[in-house]
Amino acid sequence: MEKDKYIRFDWAVKRLLRNKANFDVLEGLLTVLLDRQIHIIDILESESNQQDYDDKFNRVDIKARDSENEIIIVEVQVTRELYFLERILYGVAKAITEHMALGDLYSEVKKVYSISILYFDIGKGNDYLYHGQNTFTGVHTGDHLQVTVKERDALVQRLPSEIFPEYFLIRVNEFDKVATTPLEEWLDYLKNDYIRPDTTTPGLKEAREKLVYYNMNPTERADYDRHVDAIMIQNDVLGTAKLEGKIEGRIEGRIEGRAEGKAEGKAEGLIEGEEKGVFKVARNMKKMGVPLDTIVLSTGLTEDEIERL
């Protein structure tokens, strides 16, 4: 049915979900993920919220209020590029500093939740959801440090995890289950653009009404279709180059390993092969007329390196 075709989340989060009328979709995702009621006050405007085709940061900053009426900064990232760990760290630091006024006390620092929705393979791991946060653990005792602070004329014990950022990595492509929980239903939508007709999951029941593909006007649909096509082309080019790089790396690694009699020869050859694969990606994208900024974003190469290809 046409009504069952929904807009990809990475498109919606940059455009439709920034509209106050659609906050309930994002609130639903955050409520399910953080396991407490989240209410969004507004979307914070910053240089990270670019609308161009070649977005430097595919990210939405959200100022939110949790169920305890505390203000938090949430960062939703839809990442399709190299060096994403560095980007996550930079994004969190930027979110903290952007939202402190000059002269504010350190007590005004807001906790940041960094939520990265990843549509590509990031390495080894069997789960589709990973969570990390800062804790200080005793090297010899194994206990968690609690910091004593004076607050409102009282001494309060506070864990660093109450202040330091938390990171959520959602590995969309690793999800292959039949959705039975609210979180799994969200993963089913993120991966397959599918929402159950009878869903009661927070955010998804609203998405069934607000993220329908055929509700967009013809111009919006054309822009969206180009976006989806560009993603498919980029994934195909990157996937091919990655495979070619691995094959080339294995061959070179075996040769070097035999010649030197060292096991590290194979590893070094694999790395070198994958590096060559990245240059092949850039060369192919350049031939296809892909904008320079996009090639830089996709490969991690510099503009000078690409121009010399």
Side-chain angles (χ1 to χ4, degrees):
M1 276 179 63
E2 291 189 350
K3 273 289 186 183
D4 288 333
K5 185 172 181 179
Y6 298 102
I7 299 166
R8 283 175 56 104
F9 186 78
D10 59 326
W11 174 272
V13 79
K14 289 293 291 183
R15 292 157 178 83
L16 303 180
L17 302 187
R18 292 157 54 100
N19 186 320
K20 194 167 186 128
N22 298 330
F23 280 2
D24 46 10
V25 177
L26 275 175
E27 288 172 346
L29 171 61
L30 299 175
T31 294
V32 168
L33 193 61
L34 303 181
D35 196 27
R36 61 179 178 276
Q37 189 66 44
I38 299 295
H39 173 64
I40 297 174
I41 299 173
D42 60 5
I43 301 293
L44 298 168
E45 293 301 333
S46 71
E47 65 183 51
S48 64
N49 290 329
Q50 297 183 35
Q51 291 292 323
D52 297 335
Y53 174 79
D54 301 310
D55 288 338
K56 291 293 188 297
F57 297 88
N58 200 359
R59 185 181 82 219
V60 176
D61 293 334
I62 301 166
K63 183 186 289 182
R65 183 183 2 243
D66 66 13
S67 58
E68 297 177 356
N69 206 34
E70 294 177 339
I71 304 299
I72 58 175
I73 303 295
V74 181
E75 193 173 85
V76 179
Q77 297 185 353
V78 182
T79 312
R80 296 189 308 274
E81 64 185 74
L82 302 175
Y83 309 118
F84 69 93
L85 286 179
E86 290 85 347
R87 271 197 53 209
I88 291 171
L89 178 61
Y90 176 78
V92 167
K94 192 169 179 61
I96 293 171
T97 56
E98 271 186 345
H99 306 300
M100 277 192 71
L102 187 64
D104 277 353
L105 299 175
Y106 286 123
S107 60
E108 297 301 314
V109 168
K110 306 303 180 185
K111 179 166 179 176
V112 175
Y113 290 85
S114 175
I115 300 169
S116 299
I117 302 174
L118 309 175
Y119 286 90
F120 59 91
D121 182 19
I122 62 171
K124 293 182 180 180
N126 299 320
D127 210 332
Y128 56 83
L129 176 64
Y130 285 84
H131 172 245
Q133 61 184 138
N134 294 71
T135 58
F136 294 94
T137 305
V139 174
H140 303 99
T141 61
D143 67 314
H144 287 179
L145 177 67
Q146 295 187 58
V147 179
T148 302
V149 297
K150 188 171 183 180
E151 190 174 280
R152 295 179 183 176
D153 299 322
L155 293 178
V156 179
Q157 294 290 331
R158 182 166 292 159
L159 289 169
S161 59
E162 298 175 63
I163 301 168
F164 282 84
E166 291 188 37
Y167 302 86
F168 291 85
L169 302 182
I170 302 176
R171 303 172 69 203
V172 175
N173 293 337
E174 296 303 312
F175 177 76
D176 59 0
K177 302 175 64 177
V178 175
T180 58
T181 68
L183 179 59
E184 290 169 352
E185 281 196 48
W186 261 102
L187 263 294
D188 202 10
Y189 164 56
L190 293 176
K191 181 176 182 178
N192 305 310
D193 307 326
Y194 174 74
I195 305 175
R196 287 174 43 182
D198 61 343
T199 186
T200 58
T201 294
L204 289 182
K205 55 185 179 181
E206 292 82 7
R208 277 186 56 81
E209 301 175 2
K210 298 176 178 181
L211 301 186
V212 178
Y213 172 80
Y214 292 97
N215 283 353
M216 292 189 291
N217 63 46
T219 301
E220 291 171 335
R221 284 205 301 269
D223 288 343
Y224 174 77
D225 290 341
R226 282 195 296 271
H227 169 75
V228 174
D229 288 343
I231 290 173
M232 293 177 65
I233 291 171
Q234 178 176 302
N235 288 343
D236 184 54
V237 171
L238 291 173
T240 301
K242 182 179 179 181
L243 178 61
E244 291 175 351
K246 283 185 175 179
I247 293 172
E248 188 175 349
R250 289 193 186 101
I251 294 172
E252 293 183 5
R254 290 192 190 104
I255 294 171
E256 292 178 14
R258 289 194 200 101
E260 298 176 12
K262 295 180 180 180
E264 59 264 27
K266 182 177 179 181
E268 291 173 0
L270 179 58
I271 293 170
E272 184 179 346
E274 294 209 9
E275 287 177 351
K276 289 182 178 179
V278 170
F279 282 100
K280 187 173 289 187
V281 168
R283 191 177 296 111
N284 289 341
M285 296 179 80
K286 191 175 178 181
K287 288 178 181 178
M288 293 164 56
V290 176
L292 184 61
D293 284 353
T294 302
I295 302 176
V296 171
L297 192 66
S298 301
T299 64
L301 299 176
T302 66
E303 292 186 3
D304 288 341
E305 288 173 326
I306 295 167
E307 289 174 349
R308 287 198 298 268
L309 294 175

